[in-house]
Every structure is written in structure tokens, then in C-alpha cells.
Amino acid sequence: MASPDLLKLMRNLRAVREYTAEPVAEQTIHAILEVGRWTGTSGNRQPTDVVVVRDPAIKQQMGEWGARPAATAAVVLLLATKADAGALDEGRYAERLLLAAKACGLGACLATLKHEGPEAIKPLLGIPEDRRARAVVAIGHTDVAARKALPKDPRGGRKPMAEFAHWDRY
Ligand SMILES: Cc1cc2nc3c(=O)[nH]c(=O)nc-3n(C[C@H](O)[C@H](O)[C@H](O)COP(=O)(O)O)c2cc1C
């Protein structure tokens, strides 16, 4: 069955980095995690676990390691992925979590820990050494006024369809 609303939700998924201070209800976090848990993975190996981070000091630290949206998000989902995971797996988890957050009416942004962040975060959160801890999904209630006040980003568009899609041959 066609679902125009779902298509619209997916088409309009944007990186939201402006959040209010309102916390995200635990029930909502569970709903997002449940979508993430059912992500399909290579060989169904399920190489990614999620650490739900709400501690303001840790979120702030993540922001300082270059994952800037994490600093002001209500909750940050850190992806802890086995080092031998398939190349596409982690991205697919991240996209699922972003879409689930949007479906819950929240704003979210995928970001990565940079510099020493991916290694330094592991002891802070008890993440095993053999896991990669780089991708975070920052989630919060969208600060609508702050987003409206943003300058229009000239790089925010997309390449034309004719450049993106190649029918039958490149
Ligand atoms: C792999 C990946 C890493 C990203 N890392 C960051 C990041 O570290 N910080 C950030 O603010 N946004 C990050 N983004 C969000 C992109 O900047 C954003 O998706 C892109 O500019 C297009 O904007 P839109 O999603 O709002 O259309 C990342 C996106 C992807 C797919």
C-alpha cells in the first residue's frame, strides 16, 4: 500500500541541530531504540549496540570532540559497533534512528566524534576496546524559532535528479 505520508517524512528528513531544553521521554527513547534494534544487517550479525547518553557532562565532551549537536541535545545515542562490521551496517543503523526520531516528532542529527574522541569515549562509557565508538545520533525537541532564524544554507540543497539517477546505464 502506498504511503505518501511516509515518503514525505523520509524525503524531508533534515539534520536538526537546534534543540530546546525539554527532555525526551524515556518511552520515546525506547520507541526509537526498538526501530533501531530491528535494522537489517549484513548476515544478520547485528554488529551495533547503542549507548543512551543523557549525562550533560558527557554530551558536552562529545561536542568538544567535534560532534557539536551532541552538546545541546536532550539525548545522544552512541553507536558502539564491532570493528569487523560490514561497511554499510553502521550507516543503516544511524539512518533508522534518525527516521524514528523524526517519526516521534523530534529533531535529530548524525555526527561523528573526531580527534581523540572515538578512543577517549570508550573508558568513559565502559565500551569494550574492540568496538568502534564514532557515530552519534543527537536527538531533542526541535527549537523551531532557532531553526527559522537560521541563514538559508546555499549548500543545503541537492544535485539535480538528472545528475543523481542514471537509468539503465551511467
Ligand atoms: C556520515 C555523516 C556524518 C555527519 N557528521 C556530522 C557532524 O559531525 N556534525 C554535524 O553537525 N552534522 C553532521 N552530519 C549531517 C550533515 O552535515 C547533513 O546531513 C548534510 O549537511 C545535509 O543536510 P540535511 O541532512 O539537513 O539535508 C553528518 C552526516 C552524515 C551522513
Side-chain angles (χ1 to χ4, degrees):
M1 190 172 62
S3 177
D5 288 346
L6 191 51
L7 276 178
K8 200 168 149 195
L9 179 135
M10 291 191 285
R11 157 67 179 80
N12 292 334
L13 181 68
R14 295 279 76 78
V16 175
R17 306 176 179 88
E18 301 75 29
Y19 315 108
T20 67
E22 190 185 341
V24 172
E26 210 166 300
Q27 203 184 344
T28 307
I29 300 173
H30 278 291
I32 295 167
L33 292 172
E34 181 63 357
V35 172
R37 190 170 73 87
W38 275 93
T39 302
T41 54
S42 173
N44 196 24
R45 282 190 282 271
Q46 306 171 59
T48 295
D49 296 346
V50 174
V51 184
V52 180
V53 179
R54 290 168 294 182
D55 181 330
I58 304 268
K59 289 187 291 171
Q60 182 66 35
Q61 180 63 74
M62 289 175 166
E64 286 165 24
W65 283 326
R68 294 229 302 263
T72 52
V75 59
V76 177
L77 306 180
L78 181 134
L79 307 191
T81 297
K82 284 186 179 156
D84 61 353
L88 301 176
D89 285 333
E90 199 172 49
R92 195 171 193 213
Y93 274 105
E95 183 74 358
R96 283 280 171 108
L97 294 168
L98 292 167
L99 283 167
K102 183 165 171 83
C104 291
L106 299 168
C109 183
L110 172 60
T112 54
L113 301 177
K114 294 150 189 98
H115 318 299
E116 72 273 32
E119 283 308 314
I121 194 76
K122 289 188 204 173
L124 284 183
L125 297 178
I127 296 168
E129 252 318 304
D130 63 349
R131 291 208 169 233
R132 188 167 65 217
R134 193 170 59 101
V136 301
V137 177
I139 302 173
H141 291 271
T142 303
D143 183 337
V144 178
R147 269 186 82 69
K148 277 198 182 131
L150 285 177
K152 202 144 181 68
D153 182 356
R155 297 171 306 156
R158 295 296 189 268
K159 62 172 81 166
M161 181 61 86
E163 278 179 39
F164 170 67
H166 306 267
W167 290 63
D168 298 323
R169 60 178 277 121
Y170 197 98

